[in-house]
Amino acid sequence: PYATEALRTVAKEGTASNAQIRALLGQSTHASSIRAVAQKIVKKLHRQHGQLPAPTVGLLGAGLGLTGAQLAHALGAGARILFAAEACPTTAEIGRRFLQLLGHHPTWYGRAESHALADPMWSTSIEAITLRCAPFSQANPNFPMGTEAALREIAAVLRGTRARAPLAYVYENTDGLWRHPELCARLETLFALILPDYELRTLITSPHTHSGQRTKRERVFYYGWRRER
């Protein structure tokens, strides 16, 4: 609800057409799903670190920015989005204006695996990784074509995450991923090898289960937080 007026303004200003906004919203994860995983992460961070004085969010594959806005909302007053990476210029332009209207002014990058981002100066409270889901989708007529390239992309992004060392991260994908145990095993191996200092958890969410919505649209989340030393 807090983002509705911002979306209306984006459309009214002409930054994006109603059709573009509908398409981007269609690709976005339902708020109830983000809320379910955000609550788990924030609860753990508060248990480990107490109330975070200046919580921040980083976005990799930002899209419209809704996931980042929801995570920042979950972190509470004063939370801000520190950086956002989005490869599509049109989507980045829309996302930039949308987040501005919500009071966020992140530094934008064109690629999630950018070497310039692989720096501790971009460390955040939560890093959200929302890369391409299509290669893993059940609707992909060319499956498994594209999955190898997608896994390489994920590995490259995770190496950047290791360099930034956020307090926690969350990676999101289509539930089709879990229909392929061999792909799940390879993905979980990447997390274990590249981010060994994080406790890994998984969660499948559905708007139908978590908020009584008619749509099921299940999503898979891998999330983790830095182990206490």
Side-chain angles (χ1 to χ4, degrees):
Y2 59 89
T4 303
E5 191 56 40
L7 287 172
R8 286 188 182 135
T9 300
V10 169
K12 192 182 299 182
E13 291 176 344
T15 306
S17 66
N18 287 326
Q20 285 175 313
I21 290 177
R22 280 196 299 270
L24 287 168
L25 285 174
Q27 297 167 14
S28 299
T29 299
H30 197 277
S32 63
S33 294
I34 297 297
R35 192 160 50 244
V37 71
Q39 287 172 349
K40 292 179 180 294
I41 295 173
V42 171
K43 183 177 180 180
K44 179 67 175 183
L45 290 181
H46 286 169
R47 192 179 301 136
Q48 284 183 325
H49 307 281
Q51 192 68 33
L52 300 172
T56 51
V57 174
L59 302 180
L60 300 159
L64 184 58
L66 274 170
T67 294
Q70 290 163 24
L71 288 172
H73 188 72
L75 282 166
R80 65 190 179 95
I81 299 174
L82 184 64
F83 69 83
E86 172 56 51
C88 174
T90 300
T91 301
E93 181 185 1
I94 298 168
R96 182 181 288 107
R97 182 58 181 145
F98 169 67
L99 291 178
Q100 282 176 352
L101 290 165
L102 293 179
H104 298 289
H105 303 276
T107 298
W108 285 81
Y109 286 86
R111 293 178 63 83
E113 60 271 39
S114 169
H115 292 301
L117 265 175
D119 189 302
M121 70 175 286
W122 296 115
S123 182
T124 57
S125 307
I126 305 176
E127 189 166 286
I129 307 169
T130 53
L131 305 176
R132 294 177 298 148
C133 296
F136 304 102
S137 172
Q138 292 296 292
N140 178 10
N142 299 315
F143 182 87
M145 287 179 60
T147 55
E148 292 299 324
L151 287 170
R152 287 194 297 271
E153 180 185 30
I154 293 167
V157 170
L158 292 182
R159 283 191 284 270
T161 300
R162 180 176 59 196
R164 288 181 293 274
L167 296 181
Y169 70 85
V170 55
Y171 167 78
E172 173 195 352
N173 208 313
T174 171
D175 69 315
L177 176 64
W178 269 20
R179 302 178 194 274
H180 304 285
E182 72 286 356
L183 285 177
C184 287
R186 291 180 64 186
L187 184 59
E188 288 163 16
T189 297
L190 288 179
F191 283 113
L193 290 176
I194 300 175
L195 300 175
D197 294 334
Y198 291 78
E199 294 182 33
L200 179 63
R201 297 288 186 272
T202 56
L203 179 70
I204 289 187
T205 66
S206 165
H208 178 73
T209 301
H210 290 91
S211 62
Q213 302 291 319
R214 291 183 179 179
T215 178
K216 292 188 175 180
R217 200 162 191 264
E218 294 180 334
R219 305 295 285 178
V220 172
F221 292 93
Y222 286 88
Y223 62 102
W225 40 76
R226 282 211 312 259
R227 291 189 174 90
E228 297 180 86
R229 299 184 185 277

